[in-house]
Amino acid sequence: MARGIETKCLHLEEEEGSSDNYGAISYPIYQTATYAHKGVGRSTGYDYSRLQNPTRSHLEKVVATLENGIDALAFSTGMAAITLLMELFRPGDHLIVDADLYGGSIRLFNNVSEKNGITFSSIDCYKEDVESYINESTKAVYIETPTNPMMNVTDIEALSKIAKRNNILLIVDNTFLSPYFQNPLDLGADIVVHSGTKYLGGHNDTLAGFLVTNREDISEKFRFLIKTTGAGLAPFDSWLILRGIKTLGIRMEKSQQNAIVIAEWLKGRSEVTKVIYPGLQEHLGYEIMKRQAKGFGAMLTFQLESKEFALGILEKVRMIKFAESLGGVETLITYPTTQTHADVPKEIREKNGITESTLRLSVGIEDVKDLLDELEKVFDELDGELNGREKS
Ligand SMILES: *Cc1c(COP(=O)(O)O)cnc(C)c1O
């Protein structure tokens, strides 16, 4: 019987009963660069830590299990993972990518991959006819669902059918929901990307990235590329991510619970012109999310009545931190215009709906009452200062 995901976050079935001589519960940190051989051609399976390291391998097995893949590779950052992913392609290849993506991915595609001869069609995969953009050079579709930061939701299974019919890869960046809430490989994707910095690590203290696949041929290519290019995750950082993953389930549940309460609260405020959270029934992707994911996550984006109000919030928050990143236990608020999406051209940003009054919230696991108290205080103060309105 397949185990539940909370159990899979803690126990690796295949390694049970084979713990070290001391019975350590926590997997050891193998802080070594290299490994002694018993003789010529008699490797322990570990030769040099750029290629493999036991702590990293353990983490990779855990992440592969969580995503129901046959292999996962751990990288020093999410961007290192996506950079290596792009090595699957060669000059002349064409990719279809979501228009609304993590800004760093857009920057990589526009400034590095394009220079290397790869071309892109950037479209709204959640609503456009993806198939009509496929030509004989097209090799893959690359999406996020929900997207960062506009929370657009794409039907992964429907898109995977188009990808298979046209013999191209479907790649899904699953950072926003984590494997706890969504498993794209089960829905027909070929490769899953994670910024492990976010929910997998979960504590805003470590950078990491992952590529997961259920295809033997792709796993082989990835293994060759990681040993050749060398951005594998360090042993101590691997251990920190392993430690973070142990509580993935309860963190996802609690932060989602808080996010729903905050989304409803924001909806009730007159200064907020729009709340974009896929767990709200009015969200365009709500039904698809219910079908393809086990939860809605804890990321939400909202628009304020003015730029001044948005900036005011960023100035006034104290417990909630004005910081880039997401997916950690602490609640963070982000300004996409100057942070995550600063390098995305303004026209594209605005076409995607990111304006100077857009804020993104990564809801953490604090007592939700304290989060609401702080938001209420900040909103009321700004109402007084900017609008001359008295506390309602
Ligand atoms: C943060 C992020 C990345 C990049 O990951 P890093 O670990 O910061 O390099 C990629 N995709 C998404 C959706 C992200 O949020």
Side-chain angles (χ1 to χ4, degrees):
M1 268 255 293
R3 289 181 171 183
I5 190 156
E6 285 111 323
T7 311
K8 292 202 268 183
C9 286
L10 299 171
H11 304 288
L12 202 54
E13 216 165 342
E14 67 198 78
E15 293 195 351
E16 263 162 38
S18 68
S19 62
D20 64 17
N21 293 339
Y22 308 106
I25 300 296
S26 164
Y27 197 89
I29 302 167
Y30 284 90
Q31 189 63 49
T32 185
T34 190
Y35 307 82
H37 299 280
K38 294 189 172 73
V40 175
R42 293 170 63 208
S43 163
T44 58
Y46 291 91
D47 304 309
Y48 187 62
S49 280
R50 174 161 22 84
L51 283 60
Q52 330 90 347
N53 172 279
T55 315
R56 187 166 80 225
S57 300
H58 187 75
L59 168 64
E60 290 174 338
K61 284 182 200 155
V62 170
V63 172
T65 311
L66 297 182
E67 281 291 13
N68 299 323
I70 58 163
D71 196 14
L73 293 90
F75 296 86
S76 55
T77 66
M79 290 320 301
I82 302 169
T83 300
L84 181 130
L85 169 72
M86 296 310 289
E87 294 297 334
L88 288 181
F89 308 107
R90 45 182 75 248
D93 284 353
H94 169 250
L95 268 68
I96 297 168
V97 299
D98 244 331
D100 185 47
L101 287 177
Y102 174 67
S105 306
I106 299 177
R107 181 173 56 212
L108 175 77
F109 299 157
N110 287 352
N111 298 289
V112 181
S113 310
E114 267 194 10
K115 160 189 75 77
N116 294 340
I118 296 163
T119 61
F120 295 90
S121 296
S122 177
I123 65 168
D124 280 320
C125 293
Y126 77 100
K127 65 173 185 198
E128 289 191 66
D129 174 13
V130 175
E131 199 151 23
S132 69
Y133 289 87
I134 297 176
N135 62 44
E136 63 274 25
S137 305
T138 308
K139 292 295 178 330
V141 186
Y142 183 104
I143 65 164
E144 290 175 12
T145 176
T147 59
N148 182 355
M150 298 315 288
M151 312 302 290
N152 300 324
V153 173
T154 296
D155 185 331
I156 298 174
E157 199 164 13
L159 189 53
S160 86
K161 288 189 179 132
I162 295 174
K164 286 198 168 52
R165 189 155 71 224
N166 290 279
N167 201 22
I168 62 176
L169 297 174
L170 175 59
I171 303 160
V172 180
D173 182 336
N174 199 29
T175 300
F176 264 35
L177 289 183
S178 90
Y180 183 76
F181 279 143
Q182 180 169 272
N183 297 124
L185 298 178
D186 292 349
L187 299 163
D190 302 289
I191 299 166
V192 165
V193 176
H194 277 288
S195 168
T197 313
K198 317 296 168 56
Y199 289 106
L200 289 169
H203 291 74
N204 291 321
D205 58 9
T206 315
L207 301 176
F210 294 92
L211 295 175
V212 194
T213 183
N214 52 10
R215 277 181 45 173
E216 215 53 85
D217 57 333
I218 294 172
S219 153
E220 248 172 62
K221 284 183 188 160
F222 283 165
R223 287 285 157 200
F224 174 79
L225 287 166
I226 198 172
K227 103 174 163 191
T228 305
T229 56
L233 191 61
F236 182 59
D237 290 1
S238 297
W239 184 84
L240 282 169
I241 303 292
L242 275 168
R243 180 178 160 121
I245 287 174
K246 292 184 186 195
T247 55
L248 179 67
I250 53 172
R251 284 188 287 105
M252 293 309 295
E253 293 289 351
K254 169 71 176 170
S255 47
Q256 168 172 259
Q257 252 174 34
N258 285 355
I260 293 167
V261 175
I262 291 174
E264 291 293 348
W265 182 87
L266 287 169
K267 262 176 66 177
R269 292 295 303 209
S270 60
E271 309 88 339
V272 177
T273 57
K274 195 169 185 192
V275 181
I276 314 173
Y277 176 63
L280 294 174
Q281 271 183 35
E282 63 265 29
H283 190 283
L284 194 60
Y286 180 78
E287 290 301 327
I288 299 172
M289 284 288 281
K290 278 212 327 202
R291 213 167 50 237
Q292 73 183 10
K294 295 177 210 87
F296 301 102
M299 294 300 300
L300 59 91
T301 294
F302 58 108
Q303 310 274 12
L304 281 307
E305 61 184 15
S306 68
K307 176 185 175 185
E308 289 67 34
F309 209 99
L311 297 183
I313 294 173
L314 299 174
E315 297 273 331
K316 284 185 182 290
V317 286
R318 287 293 170 263
M319 182 181 72
I320 297 172
K321 296 290 187 278
F322 168 31
E324 224 154 312
S325 202
L326 63 109
V329 288
E330 295 93 0
T331 297
L332 304 183
I333 194 159
T334 303
Y335 193 45
T337 297
T338 62
Q339 292 183 310
T340 51
H341 291 69
D343 283 343
V344 176
K346 189 164 186 248
E347 321 81 71
I348 295 177
R349 237 180 12 232
E350 290 186 347
K351 184 175 159 279
N352 292 344
I354 304 170
T355 72
E356 291 182 324
S357 58
T358 305
L359 296 181
R360 191 192 75 182
L361 203 56
S362 167
V363 181
I365 64 167
E366 297 90 346
D367 185 331
V368 73
K369 211 173 125 299
D370 295 321
L371 293 172
L372 291 179
D373 280 352
E374 173 151 305
L375 287 172
E376 192 158 305
K377 181 164 170 289
V378 166
F379 272 63
D380 287 345
E381 275 179 29
L382 283 169
D383 264 337
E385 288 170 25
L386 295 171
N387 302 327
R389 283 203 286 261
E390 284 306 307
K391 190 173 181 310
S392 49

